[in-house]
Amino acid sequence: MSDTRKYVYAFEEGNGSDKMLLGGKGANLCEMTQIGLNVPPGFVITTETCLTYLDNPDQGLPAAVMDQVRANMQSLEEKTGKSFGGSDDPLLVSVRSGSAMSMPGMMDTILNLGLNSNTLQGLISQPNNERFAYDAYRRLIQLFGKVALGISDEAFDEEFEAIKERVGVKEDVALSARDLREASDIFLDVVERETGKPFPSDPYEQLEIAIKAVFNSWMGKRAVDYRREFNITPDMANGTAVNICTMVFGNLGDDSATGVGFTRYPDTGENGMFGEYLTNAQGEDVVAGIRTPKPIDALADEMPGQYQELVELRNRLESHYKEVQDFEFTIERGRLYCLQTRNGKMNATALVRTSVEMLREGLIDKTQALLRIQPEMLEQLLFPQLDRSATASPMARGLPASPGAAVGHAVFDADRAEQEGRAGQKVILVREETKPEDIHGFFASQGILTSRGGKTSHAAVVARGMGKPCVAGAEGIHVDVQMRKAFVGDATISEGDLITIDGTTGDVYLGEVAMKEAEFSNELEILLGWADETARLKVMANADTPDDATKAAGFGAQGIGLCRTERMFNAVERLPIVVEMILAEDASSRQTALDKLLPIQRSDFKAMLKAMAGRPVTVRLLDPPIHEFLPSEHQLEEELEQLRHLRDTVLGMNILSDTVEFMYRTADTHPSIDKMADPQLVDEAIDKKAVMLKKVRALHEVNPMLGHRGVRLGITFPEIYSMQIRAVLEAAAECVKEGLEVFPEIMVPQVCTKQELVRVKSIVDSVQQAVEAHYGVEVNFKFGSMLEVVRACMRAESLADVAEFFSFGTNDLTQATFSFSREDAENKFLPMYNENGILQDNPFEVLDIKGAGKLMELAVGWGRSKRDNMKMGICGEHGGHPDSIRFCHQIGLTYVSCSGPRVPIARLAAAHAALSEGPGGTQSL
Ligand code: PEP
Ligand code: MG
C-alpha cells in the first residue's frame, strides 16, 4: 500500500500556529513567508516524521519522506532558478532542527549542504566567488563531519589552526581562497581518515544523512538533559522538525552581513532594537562568539538602506507576533533576508518592563501582560546584586550578558563544574567561550564567565534563559585550561579561587564581594498590582518577627498568614525564661516565668500588627514539643559528667581551663566563671543540670512529632496558651487605643477534635473579657484552627462550629497523609522514590493533589457546609508554589501564605490561576 501521509510542508502551505507539527522555527518560517516577509524559500519536514523515524532508526527514513523532499527540492529549484547538484549556479540549503519548544543550540544544524567538487566549480564560476566558495565548502565538510559523521571538533580545529599559524593570521577572514582550498582538501582527508570512507558527494545522499542526523539529535544527550532540566514534556514538544531552507550568504564581501536582533533589549526590556552583526560572515560566527560582533547601530553607518529595512522588519515582526522577537537576518549582496524569528528569551527585568510597556502601547492586554511571565521567573528579581558601596575594584571587565551577581570558586570546564556542584560547592564556570555541550556545567554553576563572544553568544543566551548571571567576552582574561588557570594582566585565577562576577555591569572581581538584596522596580509594582486585581486568592506571608513582617509588607503581602510564635522564643535572652517555664515544678513558678514572657510577646505582636495595620495577622499558639527548647539528653549527660569530673579532680587542684568554661556555657544554671572555683557553686550547678536532665527524660517521647505538642500542650498547660492569647489581645487593645485598625487572628495548631477547640476557646473568651475590661476597648479578632491532621480534615464540619477560619498546614498534613517523616524522608528514601518514578515529585515541595489535596478539597466542602464563605487558607511550604497555588484557587481557598520573598511569585501565580479558569467557572480537577 502506498504511503500517503504528508511528511513535508512548503513554507507557503504550513500552518503557522501548528508548532507541535512544524516546530517553532518551521511554523514561524511558514508564517513569515505567508505575511510577505523576505524569507529564503524552503520547506519543513514534520515532527511526526521524526517520531516515526526514531521508532525504528535502523530502517532509515520512510521512502515517501525522501519522495516528498525531492518534490519540494524541485520546487525550490524553480523558485530560485538554481539547481541542486548543478554545476552552473548550484542550489545550497541549510538543514536545521526546530521543535515546538525553543531549545537554543541543543540540536544540530548543517549549512551549505549540496556542495561537492562539481557544484563547487559552479559556485566558483560566479564573480568574486572563489574565496567564498572554498570557505563554504570547508564549513560544510567540518559541520557535516561533526554532526552527521560524528567526527570530533578537534580533528578539524587542529588542522585549521595549523593553517592559520602557517599563514600567520589570527582571524578566519584573513585567510585567502588558496588557504581555504587547502583547508577543504585537508578536511576531506580528515573525513576519510576518521570514518574510513570518502566524504559523500551526492547532494541527495548528503541531504538524507543530514535529515537523519538532525532527527537523531532530538535524542542526543544535550537535548535530553535540557528537556529534563526545563521539564519539557512530550505534550509540550515531541520530536524535532527539520527545516530545509535555501542558503543565503552573509559572507559574499563587504556588502554582505549576518546578525541577530531583538525587537527590544532582552536584558533591560528597553523599547529599541538590540542586536549584533558581522560583516562578511556566516550566522554561526555571530552565535559561536568566534569573532566579537558589532552593535547593530553601527549598521546604520555601514549600510544605511539595509539598516532602515531592518528597522521595518523589526516593527513588522513585533506588531504581527505581539511579543518581543529574537530574529536572525542575513544581508546577501545588499538584499536583506529574515532567516528565523522566535519569541525572545528575556530575563525577568525585561519581561516585566515589556509587559507594562507593551500594554501601554496597546500591543497586548492585561491578561497577556500577566500570562507572558512565568511566576517562577520573578525569582530572578530577588537575586542579590553587588553592594555598590563595597570598595572592591574589578580585575577585569566583560559584557554584562545576564544580570545578577554571583560568587563561587572558579572552575575551567563543565565536567568539573558538575562534579563540584554535586559536592555542594558554589562554582563559577570560566571558559574561553562555551558550547552547547557545556550545558551540564551551566546547571551546576552560580554564574558563567567567558573571555570571548558577545551578548548573543551561546554563554549569554543560555545563562539569560536560566536566569544565571553571566559576564561574556571579558577579553582581558586569558584562559588556559591545561594549566587550570586564567591570567589577567599580572594577576592569576587558579582553579578553586573565589571570584565574583556581576552580570549587570560586566565586572569581574577576585575574591568575594559583598552583595545586597534586589529592589522592586516600579514596573514590577504595577504588574503585581494588576495581578492582585485579577487574582481571587489573597497572598499572605509567613513571618515570625516584626522585621519579617515589615519585609513581607514590602513584598506586597496582604497580611500575615502564619506567625509561628515559638520562633519568638529562640532569641538568646528569651530562651532562659522559656527554660524556666518548662522546669517549673508547680503552676505558680510556671506563672512567674510566663509573666516575664508576656510583655516580650505583647510587644512583638504589637509591632507585627502595626507593620500590617489594616491587614490580618494570624498568630499561631505554641506548637512544637517543649523539649525542643531544652538541650538534648546526650548533651546534658556529657555536661554533667564533665562537671562532676571538675568537682572531683580539677577543682581540687584549682585549675580552670577553657574546657571548664565551655561546660558552663549552657542555659541559666551556672555561676560566673570566676566563682567556679567554689565547690559549693559547682555542686549547685550539678544539681540544676540533674534536674534538667530528669525533666528531659520525663519529656522524652518515641515519636515527638506525634506527641505532646500543639493544642495538646495548650490543654495540659492552659496557662501557656492563656499568656499567649493575652499577649495578642493586649497588643491589639493597645493598637486600638492608639487609633489603629488591626485584625488579629488566633490560630490553634494540631487540632483533631472539636472539644480541643472548645477548651481553647473558653480560655480565649475569659482572657478577652479581662482585656476589654482592663483597656476599656472592644477587641475584634478571629479564632481559627489549623487543619494539618487527617482527622481534622475529616471532621471539618464539626470544627467549623467553633473555628471561624481554617488554615491548611500542608507540611504536617503531607507527613500525616503519607506517614513520611518530614524531618527524614527527604534525606533518606525520597530522592530514590523520585529517581525511580515511584513518586513523581517530592510531596513536601509539590503538593500531592491526589492525596493531601483530596483531603483539603473535602474539608473545604464540609467546613463551608457549616459556615458559609468560611475563610480558608494554606500556610505550609506549598503556599508559595505556583502549581499548588492553582490547586488552592480551584478548591476555593481564600488565601495562600508563604515566605516573604516568594510573595511576588505567589501573587502572579494567583493571577495565573484565576486566568486559567474557563469562562464556565472553576476548572475541573
Ligand atoms: C504545617 O504543618 O504546614 C505548618 C505550617 O506548620 P509547621 O510547619 O510549623 O509545622
Ligand atoms: Mg504544622
Side-chain angles (χ1 to χ4, degrees), residues 111 223 268 439 449 485 519 757 844:
L111 305 174
T268 61
I439 190 75
L449 168 61
K485 285 184 193 308
E519 282 163 21
L757 278 182
F844 292 103

Side-chain angles (χ1 to χ4, degrees), residues 562 564 620 623 709 786 788 809-812 822 875-876:
L562 173 64
R564 293 172 163 106
R620 183 180 72 184
D623 183 30
R709 60 174 292 208
M786 288 200 68
E788 53 185 343
T810 45
N811 303 332
D812 277 314
R822 59 188 270 197
C875 63

Side-chain angles (χ1 to χ4, degrees), residues 260-452:
V260 294
F262 277 82
T263 56
R264 298 186 190 221
Y265 283 70
D267 49 353
T268 61
E270 187 188 329
N271 184 0
M273 182 162 61
F274 163 80
E276 291 173 327
Y277 75 102
L278 283 169
T279 318
N280 196 13
Q282 244 181 267
E284 82 264 23
D285 296 344
V286 181
V287 182
I290 290 166
R291 280 162 58 193
T292 302
K294 295 179 250 188
I296 202 78
D297 292 347
L299 191 69
D301 294 331
E302 225 177 322
M303 299 184 202
Q306 287 73 15
Y307 179 76
Q308 204 41 49
E309 278 182 52
L310 199 62
V311 171
E312 279 156 29
L313 172 68
R314 176 235 174 217
N315 294 345
R316 283 203 63 190
L317 285 173
E318 218 179 63
S319 60
H320 179 76
Y321 286 99
K322 303 198 184 313
E323 181 52 278
V324 175
Q325 295 295 295
D326 159 5
F327 58 98
E328 287 181 13
F329 64 90
T330 283
I331 300 168
E332 184 186 78
R333 294 205 164 120
R335 176 127 203 247
L336 173 71
Y337 293 90
C338 185
L339 302 186
Q340 170 182 338
T341 192
R342 61 184 169 203
N343 290 345
K345 274 190 194 286
M346 282 171 282
N347 63 26
T349 309
L351 272 169
V352 169
R353 176 165 173 183
T354 50
S355 262
V356 172
E357 293 188 354
M358 282 166 43
L359 179 129
R360 287 190 180 140
E361 292 158 25
L363 268 179
I364 55 174
D365 61 21
K366 235 178 230 182
T367 302
Q368 290 164 315
L370 290 167
L371 285 179
R372 64 195 280 281
I373 306 173
Q374 285 312 305
E376 293 286 2
M377 285 290 283
L378 297 187
E379 228 173 48
Q380 284 178 26
L381 299 177
L382 312 165
F383 277 165
Q385 305 287 318
L386 283 196
D387 185 349
R388 303 273 164 243
S389 63
T391 48
S393 49
M395 71 183 314
R397 177 164 291 172
L399 299 169
S402 180
V407 180
H409 300 275
V411 288
F412 294 110
D413 69 63
D415 291 343
R416 183 70 59 89
E418 189 175 49
Q419 208 179 333
E420 299 287 338
R422 281 216 180 112
Q425 277 281 21
K426 288 194 175 358
V427 295
I428 306 276
L429 179 60
V430 184
R431 303 283 286 161
E432 190 162 34
E433 68 202 68
T434 63
K435 295 198 169 175
E437 45 266 45
D438 291 327
I439 190 75
H440 56 298
F442 280 66
F443 296 143
S445 303
Q446 306 298 308
I448 319 295
L449 168 61
T450 66
S451 60
R452 284 214 315 222

